[in-house]
Amino acid sequence: GDSVTQMEGPVTLSEEAFLTINCTYTATGYPSLFWYVQYPGEGLQLLLKATKADDKGSNKGFEATYRKETTSFHLEKGSVQVSDSAVYFCALLKAGGTSYGKLTFGQGTILTVHP
Amino acid sequence: EPEVTQTPSHQVTQMGQEVILRCVPISNHLYFYWYRQILGQKVEFLVSFYNNEISEKSEIFDDQFSVERPDGSNFTLKIRSTKLEDSAMYFCASSTGLGTEAFFGQGTRLTVV
């Protein structure tokens, strides 16, 4: 079945450091890929998405490129801030056929940014 | 900005009791979902709901669980005879259409004692 694997966390960085959170997936067909973020005490928020190969999603300085050849969707940010401290979830979505919009999530990566 | 709202934010219940978790999806959305996250584990799909019926469910969603859209705005998850292992954060989500991104509520933390 479909699956998503994220790099093990937690990740601890100093402010202004470069961030990469790795995400790889296994799926048949052509899924859409997402990064969701969960800030402390809040729900899941969509951070960015990509719906086809080579698409780049971006938002709030974060970027991720849909790489079909490596089945990856790594999240990057050039300069993190303390306010980026949160849990980040990679997810895939397949729709059509027998799937009705079910998201498959990775295990989440806790990011802590220190001043 | 429209949002998905869930109530209560935290519920404590005794093992064997029934609980109902409530959600108000975004008003023009047509697809509704429940997910859960056991502490320290992945967010897991439970069920999707469209046109007043279940469209897909996971292996977790057994006869203990049921969903309902009792009126034009609410979407509920009922858990009958709760077990300790049902303790988790339960997220409701909604989307405009098949294949579009889901918007999530803040979650209900269910603790079964």
Side-chain angles (χ1 to χ4, degrees):
Chain A
D2 300 340
S3 67
V4 176
T5 302
Q6 288 180 234
M7 65 184 289
E8 294 293 327
V11 174
T12 303
L13 295 172
S14 297
E15 206 164 26
E16 299 184 3
F18 183 84
L19 168 71
T20 299
I21 300 178
N22 289 339
C23 171
T24 57
Y25 68 91
T26 301
T28 56
Y30 301 94
S32 296
L33 300 173
F34 301 85
W35 277 99
Y36 280 85
V37 59
Q38 185 178 29
Y39 297 104
E42 300 185 16
L44 295 167
Q45 299 176 26
L46 178 66
L47 180 60
L48 53 84
K49 67 176 182 179
T51 58
K52 60 184 187 296
D54 300 324
D55 267 3
K56 178 186 281 188
S58 61
N59 186 25
K60 299 182 181 180
F62 291 90
E63 293 183 341
T65 301
Y66 189 159
R67 302 283 188 203
K68 190 162 176 63
E69 65 276 14
T70 54
T71 62
S72 65
F73 193 55
H74 304 322
L75 182 68
E76 296 182 336
K77 186 175 185 181
S79 176
V80 294
Q81 306 299 313
V82 172
S83 57
D84 294 326
S85 297
V87 184
Y88 292 81
F89 294 92
C90 186
L92 71 81
L93 171 67
K94 280 170 61 179
T98 58
S99 177
Y100 289 84
K102 178 181 88 172
L103 282 163
T104 300
F105 284 88
Q107 65 268 42
T109 301
I110 300 171
L111 170 66
T112 303
V113 180
H114 293 297
Chain B
E1 186 175 328
E3 59 181 13
V4 176
T5 57
Q6 291 185 242
T7 54
S9 56
H10 190 190
Q11 179 147 5
V12 181
T13 189
Q14 289 204 325
M15 193 169 51
Q17 296 297 304
E18 175 183 286
V19 295
I20 296 176
L21 309 184
R22 302 181 190 279
C23 170
V24 179
I26 295 173
S27 62
N28 64 336
H29 285 190
L30 300 176
Y31 291 80
F32 313 116
Y33 312 88
W34 284 101
Y35 290 80
R36 79 172 185 189
Q37 184 182 28
I38 295 172
L39 188 63
Q41 298 186 24
K42 290 187 179 187
V43 178
E44 302 172 290
F45 170 79
L46 292 178
V47 66
S48 60
F49 190 88
Y50 170 71
N51 200 25
N52 283 320
E53 61 182 22
I54 290 173
S55 47
E56 187 177 6
K57 60 183 181 180
S58 71
E59 294 175 350
I60 303 167
F61 195 88
D62 59 20
D63 292 343
Q64 182 194 8
F65 295 90
S66 62
V67 290
E68 190 179 26
R69 188 153 164 82
D71 53 42
S73 59
N74 291 282
F75 180 51
T76 62
L77 174 68
K78 181 189 291 186
I79 309 174
R80 286 181 281 275
S81 189
T82 50
K83 308 170 194 168
L84 294 177
E85 54 265 37
D86 294 327
S87 295
M89 180 73 87
Y90 288 81
F91 291 106
C92 174
S94 67
S95 65
T96 56
L98 202 59
T100 60
E101 65 261 32
F103 291 80
F104 283 78
Q106 293 190 316
T108 294
R109 179 166 297 285
L110 176 66
T111 302
V112 182
V113 297

